[in-house]
Every structure is written in structure tokens, then in C-alpha cells.
Amino acid sequence: MKFGGTSVATVERIERVARHVIAARKDGYKVVVNLSAMAGETDRLVGLTEMAGRGDVSRTADYDAVVSTGEQVTAGLLAIILRRQGIPARSFAGWQVPLVTDDTHGSAEIIDIDATAFETSFERGEVAVVAGFQGVTADGRVTTLGRGGSDTTAVAFAAAINAARCDIYTDVDGVYTTDPRIVPDARRLDRISFEEMLEMASQGAKVLQTRSVGLAMNHGVQVRVLSSLCEPGEKAACTIIVDEDDIMERRVVSAVVPSRAEAKISLLGVPNIPGRSAIIFAALADGKVNIDMIVQSQARTGEAANLSFTLKEGDVARALAVLAEYKDEIGFSDIVADQNVSKVSIIGVGMNDHSGVAAKMFKTLGDRSINIQNISTSEIKISVLIPSEYTELAVRALHDAFSLGEVR
Ligand code: ADP
Ligand code: ASP
Ligand code: MG
């Protein structure tokens, strides 16, 4: 059972988490509980590291030492509350399990989990309460797994103990056709395929961290998303993530996903000769900048090209610094960064054998005078880059155009 930040935001909420855990035990389950920090706490801790470091220090071990502390507080508090109610429980920090990761501080990858500690807890009849989001390197430094990472630790623990299920409790009762905070008539999906969930997460839907979905898919972990904000047994609604074959009806479009944290960098007047793009993207990769959409357009004379790509807003400063360093080698004449862009994606497994989906998407946006700056597609996704001020309008219009609010 994993409980997110809003589910553990106060001691009262953690008491409700305890009731969910006790109910699961009554149903006969042995439970590993994986917790996030209280809502807002990780942001606060990140802010402190930026003040101390006069900037972004998220790739250092000491950043991880600071930001991992929020989860230890909630894990300890839940164990205290459970024991007060006569339920044997013990709290674990990531390193006490241990959950071993590589040393990519700020976004470490899981290497191994020793599940013996959980087996010992189970033998003693204890609930194991683990701080999410954190691990430890082989040489003993604390790491964190990237924002939203307790989804990933939860799925990893479920895989390690061969759990019947991994229940992700959050502040919504499942995965919706779009963010219910933007579109009030968004509809909860009873089931969604791993493939669609993976695209949704990677295109920016918060609910689950992308890596947690990939991990669940690879290890066959059954994942459910449900709400912790009700009492146990009160409301059984949830979304189950399943194999594509287990969905009877292949929806053409299942969800609309907005992502505001996008930016676009354009390089103008790049010499149109073989190998230039390789230099540009190798430099960006060295600077650990993740690139999303890429568009290259050739000037009519054929001498120079313009190249633009999108990236996360938070990476813009780093990308500009890297490109400035390589300016002579790349040979561009001008560089422009635009942070005022959003990405809106539509996702659905049925889209690869249906025609006209892109046309309908572009017409819907065109009818509202929303200008599309970039387009990218995969088999089950179409994404467009648009000016940020149109994000909500675009999401509502697309949700409507593909009739996602209607029960089918
Ligand atoms: P937690 O703190 O529990 O990890 P998150 O904030 O990471 O929770 O994720 C839950 C939030 O994700 C919801 O409050 C909701 O606003 C947002 N969200 C975005 N897109 C969707 C969607 N398609 N379905 C459900 N929730 C979504
Ligand atoms: N507390 C961490 C974060 O805010 C991890 C998580 O909540 O999943 O990113
Ligand atoms: Mg989350």
C-alpha cells in the first residue's frame, strides 16, 4: 500500500491511513506500507537546498540527504500510530531495507532490494512501514529516485515480495480521462492498459511516476489507483492497470494529458551539413538535458537550417549554458528560448488502427484559433506544442471532441 503526499499531509490523515492498513490486515493481508512525505514538504526541502547551494544542487549526495528526510517523518509517525492502536509495526528508512540504487543522485535507479527485512517483519506479525522515494548506494550514501519517486519504490517493493497487489492511494479515486482539476466532467477509467498509462505518465499526467509504470509492466505487478480520502470500505472505486488484452473495448482515445512545464529552444542558422545535429544533441546529452520533440526546417536556399527542440522548463538554463559553450563548433547564428509553451497529448491504444484521429485533433484546436507549434506522434499518442495560455481551453476542447466525459 502506497500513500501519497496529500494522504499523509497531517497526523489526522495518517490516522486514516492507519485505518486503511488495519482494514487490509483484517482482510487477511500482510502489508508493506510505502509513504510519501507530507504534501509540500519535499518542495520545502528542495527550496532549502537551493538557498544553501545558491542554485540547483539536485545532483549531489547532500541534496538527497536533505530531501529524503520528509519520508522518514511520515513512516515513523504511521508506525507510532499503528502501535498505539495495538498493531505491531516498525518503520524503515530506505537504507535499512536496504533498497540499493546506483549513484545518480536526485534520480537514482534501483539496483536491488533485499526483501529479508520484510519477511522478518511478517514473521513477527508486524506491518513494515517504509519511507518511499529513497535508497542507498553500494557505498552507503542516501539517494532519491526523482520527484514522485515513491510510486516507484512502492512498485519495486511489491515486485520484491511478490505481492498480490500494489495499491497506490492518492487524492483521486483512480486514473481519469484527463486531470479532474481541469475538467470537472472527466471520467474515471475502470481499467487502463500499461501502455496507455506509461504514455500518460511520460506525457505529464501526475498520478503515477513514469518509472513505476514501466517497472510494474516488466515485473507483472498488479497496480490499482484509489483514494485514501475516504474511509476504508466506504467507496470501492478505483482504476486497475491491466494488459492491453484484458481490455474488451479498444478505445480510440482514452485520455488527454496536459503538461505545462515545457519549453522550446530554437537554434537559427545552423549550417546544413552532416553531423551538426549529432554535435548539438551529444552536447545536450552530456549536460544531462532530456530532449522531447525535435523539429528541423531547412531554409529555402539550403545553406542553413533552423532546429528547434522541446525540453523541461527546469532544464532551460543548463541547455543554454551547454549550447553557448559549443556555439563555435555548432555554428548557429542565433538562439531563442520560449518558456511560454505547453504540451497537450491525446493517448489511446485504438488510435493505431483508426484514421482521422490527428485530423480531428488539429481541427478541434484550429477551430479555437490555437496555433500548433510542434507535433510528435507515437503509435498510441499524438502530442502538440501550443502557447501555454491555451492549455486549459485545448484540454477541454479535446476532451469534448473525443467524447471522453460520456459513459460508454
Ligand atoms: P500523490 O501525492 O498521491 O502522489 P499526485 O499529486 O502525484 O499524488 O497525483 C495525483 C494528482 O494527479 C491528482 O490530484 C490529479 O490532480 C492529478 N492528475 C493529473 N492527471 C490525472 C488523471 N488523468 N487522472 C487522475 N489524476 C490526475
Ligand atoms: N515526496 C517526493 C516528492 O514529492 C516523492 C513522492 O511523493 O512520490 O516528489
Ligand atoms: Mg505522486
Side-chain angles (χ1 to χ4, degrees), residues 54 72 88 93 117 184 192 234:
R54 301 268 193 281
Q72 296 179 38
I192 186 162
E234 193 177 276

Short mmCIF file of all heavy atoms in Angstrom, two decimals, residues 54 72 88 93 117 184 192 234:
data_model
loop_
_atom_site.label_atom_id
_atom_site.label_comp_id
_atom_site.label_asym_id
_atom_site.label_seq_id
_atom_site.Cartn_x
_atom_site.Cartn_y
_atom_site.Cartn_z
N ARG A 54 22.83 28.15 -3.39
CA ARG A 54 22.69 29.28 -4.34
C ARG A 54 22.39 28.76 -5.74
O ARG A 54 23.01 29.17 -6.72
CB ARG A 54 23.95 30.13 -4.40
CG ARG A 54 24.38 30.73 -3.09
CD ARG A 54 23.80 32.12 -2.87
NE ARG A 54 24.45 32.80 -1.76
CZ ARG A 54 24.16 32.57 -0.46
NH1 ARG A 54 23.25 31.67 -0.12
NH2 ARG A 54 24.79 33.23 0.48
N GLN A 72 10.94 10.01 6.05
CA GLN A 72 11.24 9.31 7.31
C GLN A 72 10.30 9.77 8.40
O GLN A 72 9.94 9.00 9.30
CB GLN A 72 12.70 9.57 7.70
CG GLN A 72 13.61 8.96 6.65
CD GLN A 72 15.06 9.18 6.93
OE1 GLN A 72 15.48 9.14 8.08
NE2 GLN A 72 15.82 9.42 5.90
N PRO A 88 1.29 -4.31 15.77
CA PRO A 88 2.75 -4.31 15.71
C PRO A 88 3.22 -3.68 14.39
O PRO A 88 2.68 -3.99 13.34
CB PRO A 88 3.12 -5.80 15.76
CG PRO A 88 1.87 -6.54 16.09
CD PRO A 88 0.71 -5.67 15.79
N ALA A 93 13.86 3.23 7.07
CA ALA A 93 14.37 4.15 6.04
C ALA A 93 14.80 3.25 4.88
O ALA A 93 14.98 2.03 5.06
CB ALA A 93 15.55 4.92 6.59
N ALA A 117 14.19 -8.28 5.25
CA ALA A 117 13.70 -7.48 6.37
C ALA A 117 12.18 -7.55 6.45
O ALA A 117 11.60 -7.61 7.54
CB ALA A 117 14.15 -6.03 6.20
N PRO A 184 -13.97 19.22 -14.89
CA PRO A 184 -14.78 18.61 -13.84
C PRO A 184 -15.56 17.38 -14.32
O PRO A 184 -15.80 16.48 -13.53
CB PRO A 184 -15.76 19.72 -13.44
CG PRO A 184 -15.13 20.99 -13.93
CD PRO A 184 -14.31 20.63 -15.11
N ILE A 192 -7.20 0.64 -17.36
CA ILE A 192 -6.37 1.27 -18.37
C ILE A 192 -5.19 0.34 -18.64
O ILE A 192 -4.74 -0.36 -17.72
CB ILE A 192 -5.93 2.69 -17.94
CG1 ILE A 192 -5.19 3.37 -19.08
CG2 ILE A 192 -5.06 2.67 -16.68
CD1 ILE A 192 -5.09 4.87 -18.94
N GLU A 234 -15.68 2.47 2.31
CA GLU A 234 -16.74 3.45 2.04
C GLU A 234 -16.98 3.59 0.53
O GLU A 234 -18.10 3.74 0.08
CB GLU A 234 -16.27 4.78 2.60
CG GLU A 234 -17.31 5.86 2.71
CD GLU A 234 -16.66 7.10 3.35
OE1 GLU A 234 -16.60 7.13 4.59
OE2 GLU A 234 -16.21 7.99 2.62
#
